Amino acid sequence: MAPKVQFIREDGLYHSFCGLVSVGWLYQKIKDSFFLILGTHTCAHLLQNTLGVMIFARPRFAVSLLEEADLSSSAPSLESQIAEIRAEHKPSVIFLLSSCTPEVMKVEFEGLAHSLSTPELPVLFVPASGLDYTFAQSEDSVLQALIPFCPVAPPEDKRLVFLGSVNDAIAEDFALEAARLGIPVAGFLPAAHFHELPPIGPGTIIAPLQPYLAKTATQLRNERDATIVTTLFPFGPDGTRRFWEDVALAFDIKVDLSEREAAAWQRISEHTALLRGKKIFFASDILMELPLARFLRNAGAEVLECSTPYINRRFHAAELEQLNGIRLVEQANFDRQLRDIAEQQPDLVISNMITSNPLIGRGIVAKWGTEFCFMPVHGWSGVNTLAQMFTRALRRHARLDPLGSDAIWTAGLMPSASGDVIPLR
Ligand code: SF4
């Protein structure tokens, strides 16, 4: 049932980062894949600059550049590029990603991908342009494209599938934890290799690891009759405990992880001491804002506002229930946020890649939300990294703060927003 928690939708002109960036983690996760983007020099610059990959590293992604002469064509020819990719990289699957210009030109991507596909080497269309998709959301499109290639599991096959891309070490942790709790695992979507996709059917229990995969979860529910666990996302001691208890319950296994949770809070007590009472404002675009805000509130911080590009009442139900009393905004108006930030003086703003530097220029402590997408912050093993990501920004600012007293700095202490002093690490 959808939670009663209310949120505001401002339909602001959202300063969001392009969805193509998720290629940065997906090409590393799916090790026999290739990502081909049909785009312009702008897209090529974006990928080169944000992903910082050297040409000689032969990354498994590329931009097929549209030149002026192509602008009149709604069906660009990609055969020679596909042949080159096949010869050089020998991928098992090619993802063909759209971008703004060809979408405006009405390139018929579905047909194009179909015409390039062979039984040995599927070419899958992935809508990902910055016109429609925010940062991280195109992982949802990639996973949707993979669903038809997941074998159909029979109804009696009751096993767990983790939904969402996490790095290999974190994936291993989740598999080990499931084994420890006696939960049978069928695999991960996405898997590390195209031909290792997990079987999914009516007996499958889906455990979402990432909060930006609502479309894939809905499609698995509708097309494969799979059960999606409604729970918190596994971020922080609170989210990880609830995640595992609910996943176990889906297999009729009752576990009480309260001691494990308490021990994890204890491990990060140095960080929670710093976060306690801090005013935090979310103005980012990564779609991880709801679980991050929930973790911060449970860590003792005051969340002034949690804005996010998209809220799905069903997929985010458990997180929404936890955020009662916090101002929740979908598609926030950034001008209004700037006024609120000036008035409310948060200790930390989680912002996006476009707005961080201007905010810092105004003397505000801001952190790129983007970093949370690239860091191992999931599960029990990610607890410390997660907490540290918030406190590092506060500590760095304290070290640079020209208003701090020298006597305090030399004693290794920083002033908090409330005027207390807090030990530096
Ligand atoms: Fe820019 Fe659109 Fe290309 Fe993304 S897809 S880099 S928003 S032109």
Side-chain angles (χ1 to χ4, degrees):
M1 201 171 78
K4 293 196 188 82
V5 179
Q6 293 302 315
F7 56 85
I8 305 157
R9 184 176 176 148
E10 292 187 329
D11 289 326
L13 180 59
Y14 209 82
H15 298 69
S16 180
F17 215 64
C18 172
L20 291 181
V21 179
S22 59
V23 167
W25 61 83
L26 286 169
Y27 93 91
Q28 294 187 50
K29 182 71 214 177
I30 311 171
K31 297 178 191 350
D32 53 353
S33 63
F34 195 96
F35 288 78
L36 180 63
I37 298 127
L38 185 59
T40 58
H41 287 279
T42 311
C43 312
H45 283 307
L46 170 104
L47 289 179
Q48 183 67 35
N49 289 331
T50 53
L51 305 184
V53 177
M54 298 296 163
I55 299 300
F56 53 74
R58 295 177 71 229
R60 283 181 289 100
F61 61 83
V63 179
S64 174
L65 286 175
L66 283 166
E67 302 293 352
E68 224 171 294
D70 299 316
L71 292 178
S72 56
S73 165
S74 61
S77 166
L78 297 176
E79 278 85 0
S80 61
Q81 286 157 19
I82 296 287
E84 210 177 302
I85 292 166
R86 182 199 285 259
E88 252 197 63
H89 296 273
K90 301 188 175 37
S92 302
V93 60
I94 294 177
F95 296 100
L96 177 64
L97 274 68
S98 62
S99 68
C100 300
T101 307
E103 283 204 0
V104 171
M105 287 161 55
K106 303 274 181 243
V107 168
E108 215 281 278
F109 272 97
E110 289 273 12
L112 182 61
H114 188 71
S115 70
L116 296 165
S117 256
T118 61
E120 305 76 47
L121 180 56
V123 177
L124 310 180
F125 167 51
V126 174
S129 90
L131 289 175
D132 299 316
Y133 293 90
T134 67
F135 186 80
Q137 223 171 3
S138 46
E139 177 171 334
D140 210 2
S141 304
V142 169
L143 299 194
Q144 279 188 293
L146 286 174
I147 291 176
F149 297 88
C150 294
V152 177
E156 63 278 11
D157 183 0
K158 185 170 181 181
R159 286 186 294 166
L160 184 70
V161 168
F162 294 104
L163 177 62
S165 168
V166 286
N167 76 25
D168 293 348
I170 294 277
E172 204 170 307
D173 274 352
F174 273 82
L176 284 173
E177 187 66 27
R180 190 202 306 236
L181 296 172
I183 298 168
V185 174
F188 287 77
L189 179 62
H193 296 94
F194 180 61
H195 295 299
E196 293 168 0
L197 288 169
I200 298 177
T204 307
I205 308 289
I206 305 283
L209 299 176
Q210 304 285 18
Y212 39 76
L213 302 174
K215 283 189 300 174
T216 307
T218 305
Q219 194 174 332
L220 289 172
R221 184 190 293 115
N222 294 344
E223 290 182 7
R224 298 290 178 101
D225 225 0
T227 302
I228 315 296
V229 184
T230 302
T231 183
L232 297 181
F233 294 94
F235 300 115
D238 48 342
T240 305
R241 173 191 171 182
R242 177 77 189 275
F243 173 88
W244 281 116
E245 287 185 351
D246 288 344
V247 169
L249 207 55
F251 288 85
D252 300 318
I253 301 168
K254 281 199 179 141
V255 286
D256 177 359
L257 299 174
S258 51
E259 282 182 18
R260 195 92 185 269
E261 181 189 353
W265 282 118
Q266 183 56 36
R267 275 206 319 273
I268 56 167
S269 56
E270 179 198 352
H271 298 287
T272 51
L274 187 51
L275 287 170
R276 199 163 301 127
K278 291 289 185 298
K279 295 189 286 180
I280 318 246
F281 195 110
F282 279 87
S284 50
D285 62 346
I286 51 171
L287 291 153
M288 293 168 82
E289 288 81 7
L290 301 182
L292 294 182
R294 177 260 304 154
F295 161 70
L296 281 175
R297 177 150 90 170
N298 290 338
E302 182 190 352
V303 179
L304 298 175
E305 171 168 325
C306 176
S307 73
T308 188
Y310 170 64
I311 295 174
N312 183 306
R313 281 191 180 276
R314 191 166 181 186
F315 192 61
H316 297 139
E319 294 289 354
L320 287 170
E321 273 167 14
Q322 297 274 313
L323 294 174
N324 220 344
I326 290 181
R327 179 182 165 82
L328 291 176
V329 187
E330 190 182 37
Q331 293 186 7
N333 179 316
F334 187 61
D335 292 328
R336 191 273 305 154
Q337 286 189 313
L338 274 181
R339 289 194 295 276
D340 285 354
I341 288 169
E343 193 181 310
Q344 297 171 4
Q345 297 282 303
D347 296 291
L348 177 65
V349 177
I350 308 299
S351 52
N352 65 33
M353 286 175 98
I354 303 163
T355 55
S356 288
N357 284 347
L359 287 170
I360 290 166
R362 289 179 173 217
I364 293 157
V365 188
K367 179 171 184 60
W368 281 1
T370 319
E371 291 175 42
F372 290 93
C373 293
F374 289 96
M375 295 297 284
V377 293
H378 295 75
W380 298 118
S381 60
V383 164
N384 202 52
T385 306
L386 177 66
Q388 226 176 36
M389 288 182 70
F390 293 105
T391 54
R392 201 183 303 133
L394 294 167
R395 285 190 163 111
R396 191 185 311 125
H397 180 75
R399 288 197 180 101
L400 297 174
D401 189 349
L403 301 177
S405 114
D406 284 340
I408 288 176
W409 301 129
T410 46
L413 301 168
M414 65 175 273
S416 75
S418 60
D420 300 334
V421 287
I422 294 167
L424 287 170
R425 208 151 63 128

